[in-house]
Amino acid sequence: MNDYREGLLSINLKSIADNYLDLADRLAVGARCGAVVKADAYGLGMVQVVPALYAQGCRDFFVATQSEGERLRSDFGDEVNIVILTGVRPGAELECARAGLIPTLFTIEQFRNWVKVCERTQLEAPCALKVDSGMTRLGLGPEEFELILKDRPLLEAANIRMLLSHLACADEPQHPQNQIQLSNFKAAGEKLRGLCPGILLSLANSSGIFLGEEYHFDIARPGSALYGVNPVFGVKNPMRPTVTLQLPIVQKRLVSQPQSVGYGATQEIPGGSWLAVARGGYADGIMRAQGGRGRGWAHGRPLPMVGRVSMDSTTFDISGLGKEERESLQSIEILNDDLTVDEVAGYAGTIGYEVLTSLGHRYHRRYVKG
Ligand SMILES: *Cc1c(COP(=O)(O)O)cnc(C)c1O
């Protein structure tokens, strides 16, 4: 730990690979498992995560932006399908097609522009279409989708590889929205397949996989569950945790009199308390909203965070440790197998996704392979 004075973030690629196999195993026969690696694989490092998934047989990767796709293409060549979830930048269609990236198109205008590129060039230019099945975010609305279905010349000129939609409430299995979106998507899929046989259908994110086989279609698109976030709200997490974050302690002190701790003097501690100030604060993704509620972990036990989280440091009450434990203590874990991303997210009033994608860049990163 002494070598990692800015903190040590360990990312377990074996656990990510195991999570991939676990999810792939849950899929209906004939459905294949892709992987969402947007936002630098949810903050864990696309360059390291993609080969670990590739080694398990994953060939369908989903990214958010064209630049993420270009980077993935230049690192991993032509053997993988790369789908861009947020479309194509206007004017960048040719670049995107040349790189063999598959944009997810969700307006008629985007689709027409893309097809023009296909017609002008000899490029294969595969694309994906996205319908809004009820989430009301990105996607073709029902009227726009019907217009596309009616435009036979447009459909014939296009090379549509996949039809996607995204679930709004998949982490709540009982939510009626799931059934509604499922039937809307099924209907859209059948219509498009009637005109363009062979296109692949994709609906399920991580949580969608747990809704049952009807939701799996041809390709699943899990992201968060690969990285250890619990896919089903309120149920024991079936996924393996993938990250451990250790912060070095930069000061330990005995506070002899009752004192308030940190900015705003928001929290009082009694005289005789032992405090440890650890290197790592909200600039490193330790969310300020955890202040006064969050936990650290050492010697197999939780330790309360005290006062507000600062930009570069966080203070813990280590009075609960024995003298020897306290004296030998050099670091505090703030994410590990016991203190999970979901628990930390709870203290910060957010979701595990945001905890992962906020992890800072000052930590030393270690990738564990076995
Ligand atoms: C991010 C994203 C996913 C992955 O979702 P998880 O909940 O992380 O599994 C799948 N599909 C789309 C369209 C997304 O934007």
Side-chain angles (χ1 to χ4, degrees):
M1 187 67 210
N2 281 337
D3 297 342
Y4 309 119
R5 307 186 59 139
E6 310 277 306
L8 174 61
L9 176 62
S10 304
I11 296 159
N12 194 321
L13 295 173
K14 169 85 167 58
S15 299
I16 295 174
D18 286 346
N19 285 338
Y20 176 79
L21 291 179
D22 175 330
L23 294 169
D25 263 359
R26 291 174 193 265
L27 293 182
V29 178
R32 60 188 208 237
C33 196
V36 181
V37 294
K38 62 190 179 188
D40 203 24
Y42 289 48
L44 302 187
M46 185 172 80
V47 167
Q48 290 80 10
V49 166
V50 169
L53 296 173
Y54 185 89
Q56 304 307 326
C58 184
R59 296 294 179 272
D60 301 282
F61 293 94
F62 296 82
V63 294
T65 67
Q66 199 164 332
S67 8
E68 290 176 345
E70 281 159 6
R71 197 172 131 215
L72 191 53
R73 182 60 88 213
S74 67
D75 287 351
F76 300 99
D78 288 338
E79 296 138 77
V80 293
N81 299 316
I82 303 172
V83 180
I84 303 167
L85 291 168
T86 57
V88 55
R89 286 195 305 272
E93 290 85 359
L94 190 59
E95 246 172 86
C96 187
R98 282 214 179 105
L101 303 173
I102 306 172
T104 301
L105 307 174
F106 39 79
T107 71
I108 295 186
E109 199 194 354
Q110 265 183 343
F111 186 46
R112 292 216 168 104
N113 286 339
W114 185 259
V115 172
K116 265 187 220 150
V117 171
C118 302
E119 286 176 325
R120 269 209 317 268
T121 61
Q122 295 303 308
L123 295 166
E124 228 189 295
C127 67
L129 289 182
K130 185 164 182 182
V131 284
D132 175 20
S133 56
M135 178 165 177
T136 322
R137 193 178 62 175
L138 295 177
L140 295 155
E143 300 81 10
E144 288 172 294
F145 188 61
E146 289 299 328
L147 282 177
I148 286 181
L149 294 177
K150 283 193 194 122
D151 194 338
R152 299 298 154 85
L154 184 67
L155 283 180
E156 261 158 46
N159 178 6
I160 306 172
R161 193 63 74 76
M162 200 185 292
L163 182 71
L164 277 77
S165 193
H166 195 47
L167 295 163
C169 308
D171 58 339
E172 298 173 59
Q174 304 310 326
H175 203 295
Q177 177 87 352
N178 292 320
Q179 278 291 338
I180 296 169
Q181 289 199 251
L182 176 64
S183 68
N184 288 342
F185 182 65
K186 235 185 202 160
E190 277 161 19
K191 284 183 193 166
L192 189 62
R193 259 192 183 158
L195 300 167
C196 312
I199 61 156
L200 301 170
L201 303 182
S202 176
L203 179 64
N205 64 337
S206 300
S207 304
I209 293 173
F210 292 80
L211 292 176
E213 298 202 340
E214 291 176 286
Y215 288 80
H216 297 170
F217 294 94
D218 301 305
I219 300 192
R221 312 185 304 270
S224 58
L226 294 172
Y227 312 112
V229 175
N230 191 353
V232 190
F233 187 76
V235 166
K236 186 177 174 315
N237 191 353
M239 311 317 298
R240 294 189 178 206
T242 65
V243 286
T244 301
L245 177 53
Q246 279 171 274
L247 303 180
I249 293 171
V250 288
Q251 185 177 16
K252 279 183 246 178
R253 51 190 301 212
L254 173 65
V255 180
S256 50
Q257 299 299 319
Q259 277 288 355
S260 59
V261 179
Y263 281 118
T266 52
Q267 195 176 349
E268 285 257 337
I269 49 157
S273 298
W274 274 96
L275 295 183
V277 183
R279 223 303 299 155
Y282 61 77
D284 306 288
I286 300 164
M287 293 183 169
R288 192 169 172 280
Q290 284 193 78
R293 289 194 281 170
R295 301 253 182 285
W297 198 273
H299 292 294
R301 244 170 301 157
L303 300 169
M305 271 183 195
V306 277
R308 287 189 182 154
V309 175
S310 296
M311 185 185 289
D312 312 296
S313 69
T314 304
T315 304
F316 296 88
D317 188 339
I318 57 168
S319 310
L321 298 179
K323 182 167 180 291
E324 273 175 30
E325 287 175 332
R326 194 174 66 228
E327 282 171 2
S328 65
L329 192 68
Q330 292 189 19
S331 66
I332 290 183
E333 295 188 344
I334 59 158
L335 283 172
N336 63 23
D337 291 2
D338 297 298
L339 185 55
T340 63
V341 284
D342 295 294
E343 180 176 344
V344 168
Y347 297 131
T350 183
I351 51 175
Y353 299 62
E354 195 179 5
V355 171
L356 289 179
T357 55
S358 301
L359 289 169
H361 292 278
R362 292 197 282 193
Y363 305 124
H364 178 83
R365 289 179 172 228
R366 182 158 70 194
Y367 287 89
V368 182
K369 298 198 169 134

